[in-house]
Amino acid sequence: ETEDFLAAFQRRMDAEEKIEPNDAMPEGYRRTLVRQIGQHAHSEIVGMLPEGNWITRAPSLKRKAALLAKVQDEGGHGLYLYSAAETLGVTREQMTEELLSGKAKYSSIFNYPTLSWADIGIIGWLVDGAAIMNQIPLCRCSYGPYARAMIRVCREESFHQRQGYELCLTLSRGTEAQKAMLQDALDRWWWPCLMMFGPHDGDSLHSDQSMAWKIKRFSNDDLRQKFIDATVPQGEYLGLTFPDPELKWNEEKGGYDHGPIDWEEFWRVVKGGGQMNRDRITARKKAWDEGAWVREAALVHAEKRRARQLA
Ligand code: ACO
């Protein structure tokens, strides 16, 4: 790649032009997108598991229908995202193999267990809330197929976030046991949700280059701060206490200060040592293996149709 080519590409970035699949692009740009979109797709698919765990135990028909629809949406998001990554010359098989071998990451958040029904509300409110905070700027990502996929994904995530908050609101107005269950869920999920935004800016490997390429629009810490500022008043409205004694409004900066994040826990979970990492990958491997006959049948069917059309 010549310097002229890289400079011309950067000028396109600076002019906010969208890059499309057939455009020339630096290999590093392509690799970064394959990595991020692939990780994002895997997160959507693995993210179906913790909530899928509660579909059979939802407390009413209405709750069951909403949860079922939400988990299906996550599957759909995974599929758009795999398709967006495929426009960059990688196959879904390759991406899946990388997930199953542990080479490709998925979001740390999905390696925590869903222990109570309140977890389903908290995941909608906080995990989907954090996902939206991170994904709204991705609608303006310089890579066209990713940016366009994000528009629909964000609309659906916004519905997920509202159903989660409404579930939390219902529990917060319930019995003492329901309120305690909600508080316990917040206590377990708050810190892992803050970790979703990735390491501190100083430790973020890819941020600078991804910002220059207009893949990322805000740094990890900036998005984390926006999330905290938006979320704390919502939690207070529910009568909840955040599990951070140092969480305090800072008038001067116009945002909340918070206590230190346990980065050791974050890296342990990212590297496979979280409570649910092994279960999640085992479940995905089982689904992939058991779906082999469907993939084979679809290929044979497509081949037969093609032959019939040619005849
Ligand atoms: N969980 C697992 N791995 C993470 C996480 C996380 N929460 N945050 C960062 N990492 C990894 C990065 O993937 C990177 O590892 P890699 O080089 O092997 O890929 C490493 O930690 C260093 O982090 P950064 O340099 O900050 O990485 P990056 O610039 O890619 O930023 C971020 C990370 C913010 C997650 C970015 O990739 C992103 O915006 N992704 C799209 C959104 C997404 O994937 N959301 C998934 C969860 S939301 C949902 O699915 C409902």
Side-chain angles (χ1 to χ4, degrees), residues 35 39-40 105-106 108 134 196 198 204-206 216 220:
R35 179 184 61 79
Q39 162 178 308
H40 194 165
K105 295 190 168 77
Y106 59 91
S108 50
N134 164 273
M196 283 176 72
S204 167
L205 220 66
H206 307 290
K216 279 171 114 162
N220 297 356

Side-chain angles (χ1 to χ4, degrees), residues 90-108:
V90 63
T91 66
R92 188 146 156 216
E93 280 74 11
Q94 283 169 314
M95 286 184 276
T96 304
E97 273 157 24
E98 289 193 353
L99 170 71
L100 298 181
S101 72
K103 184 160 176 262
K105 295 190 168 77
Y106 59 91
S107 182
S108 50

